[in-house]
Each structure stands twice: as C-alpha cells, then as structure tokens.
Amino acid sequence: MEKKRATPVIKGLIICFILILYGFVLYITEQYQNTLLNLLQYVILIGGVIWSCVYYAKQMDGNVTFGNVFAEGFKTTAFIAALMAVYTLVSVKFIFPEMIDKIAEATRKQMEKDGKATDEQIKQGIEIMRKFFIPFAMGGILLFFAIAGAIGSAIGAAIAKKNPSVNNPFDNPNFS
C-alpha cells in the first residue's frame, strides 16, 4: 500500500496561512511599512520551502534526487505565490480597502521630507502609485516569491537526505 504524502498544495496552504497571519499582524500593529519586518516574510517563505523539500524527501524515504526535491519545492513555491497574489488582490480591494490610502499618505510624507520633488510631482507620483498599486503588488509578489522560493528549493534540495544508491542506474545490475 502506497503511503499518502503531503502534496505541494497542502504544504503551500500551511505556509500561506503563516504568511497571511504574519501580514495581518503587521497590518494591525501598523508595522506594514517596516522594511525589516517585511523582509522577514521572505525568511518565512524560504524556511517553509526548505521544510517542504526536506519533508518530501523524508516521505519518499530518501529515494529522491536533487532535481526531484527542487521540483517539489518549486511547485510549493508556485502555489504559494499564486495564492498570495490572489490574497493581496482580495485584501486590498475588500478586507483592507484603506491600505492604499495609508500607503499613499506615508509615501507623500516621505516625498515631502526628502524635498526632491515639487508639490505637483508629488501629486502625480501619488496618482500613479494609486493607479498601479495592485498590479505592481501582485507582480512583485510573483517575482520575489519565485526568486525566494527558488533559493529555498535549492537549499532544501541540497540538505534533504537522499539515498543515492537507489537512484543511481549504474549501481543497478539489470542496467544495460
């Protein structure tokens, strides 16, 4: 009887839940513009993907190759990136519709503080930011999560325990 294994979707859902919960905490504590805390989501993502890879190799009793494990990690990453992009759209449009206003106001204050732009340039910059916020946010999630997931997949594939003799066709006496 074949063992049931956790699929990339199941592992992706677990990691997404953690990322969404983390993002929610950042938002309600008004730390969502803290760069260092925002970067921590990528640490969570990479750690989750590494866990996904190692767990996959363990479920397969080490009968895996680097490529198998990397592919499992990247499938998990693809699911996470897609789900987080959709979550971002839903959260900005329906759950936290005031988020864009808060970010626009913080951006305006930063631009005024920098003093490099005129009032008209600031106004135009804020209008453009509002117009393209959602597409850029979703695109950024897809791109940066893919990069972080590839890093996590490579690390996970490298550290996952593998049983190389099982997968080496040259050690198989029936190999011709």
Side-chain angles (χ1 to χ4, degrees):
M1 186 167 134
E2 189 176 322
K3 288 192 266 182
K4 281 194 169 223
R5 71 176 193 90
T7 65
V9 171
I10 298 298
K11 293 182 279 187
L13 283 171
I14 293 167
I15 297 165
C16 278
F17 176 75
I18 294 167
L19 288 169
I20 290 170
L21 185 63
Y22 179 72
F24 183 74
V25 169
L26 285 183
Y27 187 75
I28 62 171
T29 59
E30 297 193 14
Q31 293 295 314
Y32 55 91
Q33 292 189 340
N34 183 324
T35 306
L36 187 59
L37 292 177
N38 276 318
L39 289 176
L40 188 56
Q41 76 178 337
Y42 294 104
V43 173
I44 293 168
L45 173 66
I46 290 171
V49 172
I50 291 170
W51 163 76
S52 173
C53 292
V54 170
Y55 191 71
Y56 169 73
K58 184 178 179 181
Q59 286 181 308
M60 302 303 288
D61 297 323
N63 298 328
V64 293
T65 64
F66 181 92
N68 297 132
V69 178
F70 182 88
E72 180 79 4
F74 206 76
K75 288 175 195 173
T76 304
T77 298
F79 179 78
I80 293 167
L83 189 59
M84 291 302 291
V86 170
Y87 169 74
T88 298
L89 174 66
V90 170
S91 69
V92 170
K93 283 287 197 183
F94 304 108
I95 302 172
F96 307 114
E98 70 283 355
M99 182 184 290
I100 294 176
D101 294 334
K102 288 181 177 182
I103 293 172
E105 186 56 34
T107 302
R108 176 188 310 281
K109 286 179 183 175
Q110 186 61 44
M111 290 174 81
E112 288 171 351
K113 181 181 167 188
D114 291 346
K116 296 178 184 174
T118 65
D119 287 342
E120 186 60 33
Q121 290 171 328
I122 292 172
K123 184 180 175 187
Q124 285 178 330
I126 297 299
E127 285 177 26
I128 290 169
M129 190 230 39
R130 285 181 183 276
K131 185 176 182 181
F132 294 108
F133 181 82
I134 292 173
F136 281 143
M138 292 175 68
I141 286 170
L142 292 173
L143 176 66
F144 291 114
F145 273 39
I147 293 168
I151 292 167
S153 296
I155 294 169
I159 66 172
K161 299 240 186 269
K162 298 173 232 16
N163 185 359
S165 63
V166 173
N167 293 312
N168 187 348
F170 299 109
D171 290 342
N172 185 346
N174 298 325
F175 182 73
S176 45

